[in-house]
Amino acid sequence: MRAIVYDRYGGVEQLRLAQVPMPLPGPGQVLVEVVATAINLSDWEGLHGSPAYARIGGLRRPARRTLGSDIAGRVAAVGTGVGRFRVGDEVYGDNLRLMGGLAEFAVAPETALAAKPPGIAFAEASTIPQAGAIALQTVARANPGERLLINGAGGGTGMFAIQLAAAAGIHVTAVDNAGKLDFVRSLGADEVIDYRTADFTRTGPYDLIVDLVAHRSVFAYRRALAPGGRYLMVGGTVRAIARVLTIGALAGAVTGRRLGVAAIREGPEHFTPLAERILAGDVAVHIDARYPLDQAAIALARHGEGRARGKVVVEVRPG
């Protein structure tokens, strides 16, 4: 089968299209004939081997040679003990543990997958699992009428989070580069900030800050929070995470604010509620660009360089 592989950490120049053996599902696993794979930050981090936690299992070389966690496709085979799916079923899910979505077939745990709703196309379904779980769980920390700031709001998670927050009556300030400000406004953001020309940590105060691209000091984030407010880091470097968990926690505690790292729960029960909102017409999926499998490197670059408005999808085969 065809797959995008890489043998060492680095930029997109490490990626190449190759013929590799077909994977076989083990006990409790499903072989998925991949139709579409959405690009996530986890793919970019896995490619570069940075932050350091992206090298877990493969300190010097990648443990998984093929990236791609958010997949949508059809069941091609099942391993022993699989009872929820049969060959031919349409499925989608976040295969973060095994990856492999940038290929014609991928093996995933049965527990990572959900039945794809007939009313959602494969490409759109692939955008939901990882970004949707993050958006649902972080926005749930805010109450109607409160002020929410999303840093890095123009990507896939921000796309869903803005819409969910706006629908819940939460005041949303979206931070991203100037090229994405009209986009985030169209999603329902009440205010927008170009991080290149304004320091968003000197605005507010905010009841909740969801930080998708953590690059500032914990003291800067603290000053942007209202008393009793909360800052949630979603990913970041090991150093940044450590600072938030130590210095940030202490600095926040003495001023009545909370700074921490979002612990995102994975699995279908944490992303299928978003699919239901999409089917109901409450939330829309915005795909910035679609690429065939042999252009996966371009897809990774568009996402990783912060140029995408919404999600970038690799369409492995026709749906």
Side-chain angles (χ1 to χ4, degrees):
M1 71 169 187
R2 297 186 308 151
I4 299 295
V5 301
Y6 71 121
D7 300 307
R8 62 182 61 187
Y9 298 115
V12 294
E13 69 278 358
Q14 300 295 335
L15 300 171
R16 58 187 175 86
L17 183 66
Q19 287 287 338
V20 301
M22 177 85 73
L24 297 175
Q29 295 180 335
V30 173
L31 178 66
V32 178
E33 181 186 49
V34 181
V35 174
T37 296
I39 304 301
N40 288 300
L41 177 60
S42 56
D43 298 307
W44 187 251
E45 292 176 341
L47 173 62
H48 288 79
S50 179
Y53 56 71
R55 296 183 181 232
I56 293 176
L59 183 60
R60 295 183 180 276
R61 293 184 179 275
R64 306 288 180 186
R65 297 180 65 218
T66 297
L67 298 167
S69 61
D70 274 2
I71 60 175
R74 300 180 182 88
V75 175
V78 298
T80 58
V82 172
R84 292 174 51 229
F85 301 113
R86 295 181 297 179
V87 173
D89 287 351
E90 297 181 348
V91 296
Y92 72 121
D94 181 2
N95 195 27
L96 184 60
R97 302 304 175 188
L98 299 181
M99 304 296 277
L102 293 178
E104 293 180 313
F105 293 87
V107 166
E110 177 188 25
T111 54
L113 301 172
K116 183 185 77 64
I120 300 179
F122 285 103
E124 282 71 19
S126 73
T127 70
I128 297 170
Q130 195 171 126
I134 296 171
L136 285 166
Q137 292 173 57
T138 53
V139 171
R141 305 292 184 93
N143 298 310
E146 290 187 336
R147 295 175 63 86
L148 163 66
L149 180 140
I150 304 171
N151 185 29
T157 298
M159 166 186 75
F160 291 135
I162 292 171
Q163 296 179 77
L164 291 168
I170 299 165
H171 185 281
V172 181
T173 297
V175 180
D176 216 305
N177 64 59
K180 296 185 182 182
L181 299 189
D182 287 342
F183 172 64
V184 296
R185 282 194 190 97
S186 74
L187 298 174
D190 298 285
E191 298 179 45
V192 297
I193 297 174
D194 177 3
Y195 72 86
R196 294 173 177 172
T197 60
D199 182 355
F200 69 87
T201 68
R202 296 188 180 278
T203 65
Y206 303 100
D207 300 292
L208 175 65
I209 295 175
V210 175
D211 197 353
L212 302 170
V213 285
H215 293 301
R216 306 299 299 275
S217 76
V218 293
F219 300 105
Y221 294 128
R222 185 191 62 179
R223 70 174 171 237
L225 288 172
R230 184 162 192 175
Y231 166 85
L232 289 175
M233 174 188 289
V234 182
T237 66
V238 172
R239 178 178 295 181
I241 291 172
R243 286 177 175 172
V244 168
L245 293 176
T246 54
I247 300 172
L250 290 172
V254 298
T255 57
R257 296 157 176 84
R258 292 170 292 170
L259 289 84
V261 177
I264 303 301
R265 298 181 295 279
E266 303 171 10
E269 65 271 30
H270 301 298
F271 64 75
T272 53
L274 181 62
E276 294 168 4
R277 299 287 297 272
I278 292 170
L279 286 169
D282 299 332
V283 175
V285 175
H286 296 266
I287 296 178
D288 173 82
R290 304 168 188 244
Y291 296 94
L293 183 60
D294 60 3
Q295 294 182 21
I298 301 174
L300 262 293
R302 183 164 185 83
H303 176 278
E305 294 167 3
R307 293 183 283 127
R309 300 173 180 86
K311 295 292 286 186
V312 174
V313 173
V314 174
E315 295 184 311
V316 178
R317 56 170 47 85

